[in-house]
Amino acid sequence: MKIPKDISVPNLSDAGAKVLKGIKPVDNIQGVVFGEAFTVKTSSDDWGTVVKAISYSRGKVIVVKCEGGEYAVWGGLASLNAKLKGVVAVVIDGYVRDLEDIRRIRFPVFSRGYTPKAGTPLDRGVMGIPVNCGDTTVKSGDVIIGDCNGVVVIERDRVEEVLEKAKEIKRKESKIRDRIMRGIDLKDILGLD
């Protein structure tokens, strides 16, 4: 699967991809990152399961659902390890820390927020099961796409359909942009009186 460079997460959302609500990039992500999901469900004070998932996620996006308090399950060392192991990105419905390290190594991390407080490596979570991330069900194998606007998920069997719709949306936007550049007011183009 290849996402065209000019397609954005908003285009995909308009085309039917499901938004992971409240999940934002930790850094100003340049371009689009995408890959197959590898899911993790754990407690917010258990970073052990999340770190373990790195070993199973080469070429994939780790998608984590944390339950409980405000602890970081991801940080700079996990990001470095994931980057070196070929993980595409991590999406966490929970908290991260070590923002300066994550930003310096330029590893794509999306999360609900950040906190300096970490839990412990309990390794009590579960991998590879459907999770509710950002009020949306994500299954291992679904396609995750993120950019500076946020993150969306597309069910594996709907990828081509959503991509075709997104391309059509992009073509329509391009025509509208051309008309605006020729001096036509957007409200007139859209028929808003």
Side-chain angles (χ1 to χ4, degrees), residues 146-174:
D147 69 10
C148 61
N149 298 285
V151 183
V152 293
V153 61
I154 307 172
E155 295 166 350
R156 185 180 207 110
D157 60 349
R158 292 193 61 230
V159 171
E160 291 306 318
E161 167 199 340
V162 172
L163 277 178
E164 284 307 311
K165 286 181 183 176
K167 288 176 190 175
E168 181 57 32
I169 288 167
K170 195 69 181 177
R171 283 190 287 272
K172 287 179 182 176
E173 286 181 352
S174 181

Side-chain angles (χ1 to χ4, degrees), residues 89-168:
V90 66
V91 175
I92 300 177
D93 193 345
Y95 296 85
V96 301
R97 69 183 204 165
D98 304 327
L99 302 185
E100 69 284 355
D101 293 336
I102 293 169
R103 290 172 178 155
R104 186 177 65 252
I105 66 169
R106 301 178 66 108
F107 181 74
V109 175
F110 301 84
S111 72
R112 183 161 298 285
Y114 46 89
T115 180
K117 187 176 183 180
T120 53
L122 299 174
D123 190 19
R124 294 186 188 155
V126 183
M127 295 182 278
I129 64 166
V131 297
N132 184 319
C133 183
D135 294 333
T136 302
T137 300
V138 178
K139 299 180 292 270
S140 284
D142 286 347
V143 175
I144 302 292
I145 305 104
D147 69 10
C148 61
N149 298 285
V151 183
V152 293
V153 61
I154 307 172
E155 295 166 350
R156 185 180 207 110
D157 60 349
R158 292 193 61 230
V159 171
E160 291 306 318
E161 167 199 340
V162 172
L163 277 178
E164 284 307 311
K165 286 181 183 176
K167 288 176 190 175
E168 181 57 32

